[in-house]
Amino acid sequence: MRNAHTDTPVIRDVMGMTRRALLGSAVAVAAGAGTSAAADAGSAEIPLLWREFSRTPFTHPQIPYIGRAGFRGGAAHFPRRPAVADVRDFGAMAGGTTDSAPAINRAIAAVGRAGGGTVTVPPGTFRIDDIIRVNRSNVTLKGAGSGRTTLYATKNLTELIGVYGSRYGGDKSGWSWAGGLIWLAPEVRWNSLVAAIRAKAWPFEGWTGNGRDEWRTLTKVAPARQGSWTVTVSDPSRLRPGTLVLLRLADDPDHTLLEHMCGGGPGPETYVWDDKTKLTSYVPYEWPVRIARVRGRQVTLERPLPLDVRPEWDPRLTTHVPELTGSGVEGLTLEAVETPQQPHLLDKGHNGVVLQCAYDCWVDDVTVRHVDNGFGLVAASACTLRRTRVTGRGAHHPYFCREGSHDNLVEDFTIDERTSPAPSGTQLHGINVEGLSSYNVWSRGDMQAGTFDSHRGLPFANVRTDITLNNNGRHGGDASAGPLFGARFTHWNIRVTNARAGLVRIDGLAPYSATVGIDEVREFEQIDVPDFAGDLHTRLELYGSPHAVRPRNLHAAQRAL
């Protein structure tokens, strides 16, 4: 590894590990991670790509560094805060005859005002006729377990908030890609979004506001290289360790920022960007990150830079809407009243759990049933979804990740085979990513239905690893949203049970990508062509041999570094 500014070798990375120790642990992990039996270990192969990555983990051209994805950098455990409120003390009643939503929301508000803690929901079925809003930081909504506590939702988001249209007109429903019946979002974002929907205006959903006016500059940032942990700022006076800031990068008229997200070179340079109006609405790129240390004008971040920082992109650290942080939902099932799945893009909003403008939040041991859309990340970053399941009559987006969501971890997840046939005109997208979302991880998944859905919008540097997939869905995405993939997209150890392609093997589609250890797959009627002409600089290893690849799980191996 070399210093980004002087091109000289560095002895220690930001974590204090020597280069020799880093390489030694990399080889050990590669040789042993995921090995369950001696016979299996005997057939294991360590890809050349892994050996390369372990030498340059923060700057590898095909594989992104996602070793710090998720809540608090991928923490193994979530906070165990003392129980402060039982929802029954606020009027909630099990049995399904009383609307318990007001009582649950009153309990959440009371615990939030008290500075945080756990709101407990005991075993039983609690009817909710409204949205459950986790809008206070450091609050945990905790059931007795996904098999013991059920929230039974009787209404959808169209009934509860109103018609959420598309900014492009037509009859498309915004509840097809946003919102949840359990909604984790800061109060200010919730209020502005609901007000805009009820006024039939388009609500901006990200870290800044409509017109991007809910931010101010904290400081300008000097040039730096992708993978650097430290940046130099012009004015550190308003920066403090632990503070969450936005790194904001604007594109230039030649779209060199978008080209950089694709790895650069002749292909992205000759691509037509100006007519991709949906894609260009996603920039400036906004990346939330906490400050780890401030020493003079040198600022160390808790994660390495996702992109180069260049003066032509007007780089700066800015404020944002106050984040929701330190909050979670655990141990319950959200069951929507069973209704037929709606035609594509006409969802009413029987949606599950969504995290929006949330940072360092989590969902654990939660099942959603009979939903239009399951679990959503909307301008959410550094969050973990663990032990989650989508089940029941079938969903449009079982998981969606959009509107600039970064550094999230979805692990130990399940999408069940649907319990009723898909109605005509519906779609199943599986695990979705779009809208310049980057450095997200889907790990240890059992997908009995769905697909690997890049919904265009130039997602880049995302990883899917250690997943079994019955690939029976289709990806989506409007042409105005631009490319399917940017650079450093990686699929690692993917077992495809029905041999269908559909964005699983991506070496012919995604620039500077890695496809390692997947089953052999065949094209079907949805055949994609690469967005960029010329050499894509992609890598394919152990094709047809997912059970042989070591390490088995790319995220776990990166964490071990």
Side-chain angles (χ1 to χ4, degrees), residues 247-332:
L247 172 66
R248 194 172 190 268
L249 301 176
D251 204 5
D252 60 9
D254 293 328
H255 300 296
T256 60
L257 175 60
L258 296 177
E259 292 172 4
H260 175 57
M261 292 174 178
C262 299
E269 288 172 3
T270 58
Y271 184 79
V272 177
W273 299 97
D274 285 327
D275 63 347
K276 308 303 186 294
T277 52
K278 188 172 183 179
L279 172 62
T280 53
S281 73
Y282 294 138
V283 288
Y285 174 81
E286 295 175 336
W287 182 61
V289 65
R290 287 200 195 279
I291 294 172
R293 185 173 64 202
V294 180
R295 288 187 176 175
R297 294 171 55 215
Q298 301 297 307
V299 177
T300 301
L301 308 173
E302 67 174 345
R303 289 177 174 84
L305 286 175
L307 295 164
D308 285 355
V309 173
R310 301 179 186 174
E312 55 265 36
W313 302 330
D314 190 23
R316 56 185 68 201
L317 300 181
T318 77
T319 62
H320 49 82
V321 297
E323 71 273 14
L324 183 77
T325 188
S327 292
V329 177
E330 302 179 0
L332 57 83

Side-chain angles (χ1 to χ4, degrees), residues 412-444:
D412 301 310
F413 67 96
T414 301
I415 303 174
D416 282 334
E417 184 179 354
R418 59 185 306 137
T419 55
S420 59
S424 177
T426 60
Q427 285 279 5
L428 168 60
H429 292 315
I431 51 176
N432 152 279
V433 61
E434 60 181 291
L436 300 185
S437 295
S438 62
Y439 294 86
N440 301 289
V441 183
W442 293 262
S443 169
R444 296 196 302 268

Side-chain angles (χ1 to χ4, degrees), residues 504-510 513-515 518 536-540 543:
V504 176
R505 179 177 172 176
I506 56 175
D507 58 298
L509 293 172
S513 66
T515 305
I518 71 165
L536 294 176
H537 304 281
T538 62
R539 303 280 292 275
L540 176 69
Y543 180 53

Side-chain angles (χ1 to χ4, degrees), residues 145-151 182 329-336 352-353 363-371 374-375 386-392 399 414 416:
S146 60
R148 302 182 66 200
T149 297
T150 297
L151 303 183
I182 299 179
V329 177
E330 302 179 0
L332 57 83
T333 289
L334 173 67
E335 180 174 345
V353 183
V363 178
D364 184 29
D365 183 26
V366 172
T367 293
V368 296
R369 180 178 289 115
H370 303 321
V371 292
F375 295 89
R386 182 178 295 158
R387 299 190 297 165
T388 55
R389 179 183 295 267
V390 180
T391 192
Y399 292 83
T414 301
D416 282 334

Side-chain angles (χ1 to χ4, degrees), residues 52-385:
E52 293 175 357
F53 174 84
S54 64
R55 290 191 289 269
T56 58
F58 309 129
T59 58
H60 193 275
Q62 277 91 15
I63 298 178
Y65 175 72
I66 41 81
R68 291 187 59 78
F71 171 79
R72 293 185 182 173
H77 303 288
F78 303 120
R80 292 291 176 256
R81 298 193 176 94
V84 176
D86 185 314
V87 297
R88 293 172 297 185
D89 295 336
F90 290 79
M93 296 180 63
T97 59
T98 301
D99 176 17
S100 293
I104 295 171
N105 284 328
R106 285 195 297 268
I108 292 170
V111 172
R113 288 193 298 270
T118 298
V119 176
T120 59
V121 189
T125 297
F126 295 81
R127 197 185 93 209
I128 56 171
D129 300 343
D130 204 350
I131 300 161
I132 302 304
R133 297 194 291 127
V134 181
N135 55 3
R136 313 274 180 149
S137 291
N138 302 314
V139 173
T140 304
L141 178 66
K142 185 177 178 63
S146 60
R148 302 182 66 200
T149 297
T150 297
L151 303 183
Y152 181 69
T154 63
K155 297 183 179 181
N156 58 57
L157 295 170
T158 301
E159 296 174 281
L160 295 172
I161 299 178
V163 174
Y164 180 7
S166 167
R167 56 179 145 176
Y168 300 103
D171 58 355
K172 296 178 182 178
S173 167
W175 302 126
S176 299
W177 55 77
L181 291 168
I182 299 179
W183 201 322
L184 290 82
E187 186 74 3
V188 63
R189 174 52 72 232
W190 163 264
N191 289 338
S192 63
L193 186 140
V194 170
I197 291 171
R198 290 178 174 167
K200 301 189 183 306
W202 177 257
F204 190 78
E205 300 168 317
W207 287 97
T208 50
N210 283 322
R212 305 288 176 104
D213 54 358
E214 294 179 13
W215 61 275
R216 61 186 176 85
T217 297
L218 296 172
T219 181
K220 297 285 188 76
V221 181
R225 297 294 299 274
Q226 179 251 320
S228 300
W229 293 72
T230 300
V231 295
T232 301
V233 302
S234 58
D235 178 11
S237 62
R238 287 176 285 183
L239 305 180
R240 299 288 184 274
T243 301
L244 186 71
V245 297
L246 289 185
L247 172 66
R248 194 172 190 268
L249 301 176
D251 204 5
D252 60 9
D254 293 328
H255 300 296
T256 60
L257 175 60
L258 296 177
E259 292 172 4
H260 175 57
M261 292 174 178
C262 299
E269 288 172 3
T270 58
Y271 184 79
V272 177
W273 299 97
D274 285 327
D275 63 347
K276 308 303 186 294
T277 52
K278 188 172 183 179
L279 172 62
T280 53
S281 73
Y282 294 138
V283 288
Y285 174 81
E286 295 175 336
W287 182 61
V289 65
R290 287 200 195 279
I291 294 172
R293 185 173 64 202
V294 180
R295 288 187 176 175
R297 294 171 55 215
Q298 301 297 307
V299 177
T300 301
L301 308 173
E302 67 174 345
R303 289 177 174 84
L305 286 175
L307 295 164
D308 285 355
V309 173
R310 301 179 186 174
E312 55 265 36
W313 302 330
D314 190 23
R316 56 185 68 201
L317 300 181
T318 77
T319 62
H320 49 82
V321 297
E323 71 273 14
L324 183 77
T325 188
S327 292
V329 177
E330 302 179 0
L332 57 83
T333 289
L334 173 67
E335 180 174 345
V337 59
E338 187 171 1
T339 59
Q341 186 178 351
Q342 295 296 301
H344 192 220
L345 299 177
L346 298 181
D347 300 319
K348 299 293 186 182
H350 298 93
N351 293 352
V353 183
V354 70
L355 295 87
Q356 182 169 0
C357 295
Y359 195 96
D360 277 339
C361 292
W362 72 93
V363 178
D364 184 29
D365 183 26
V366 172
T367 293
V368 296
R369 180 178 289 115
H370 303 321
V371 292
D372 293 336
N373 299 279
F375 295 89
L377 297 160
V378 181
S381 293
C383 295
T384 295
L385 277 60

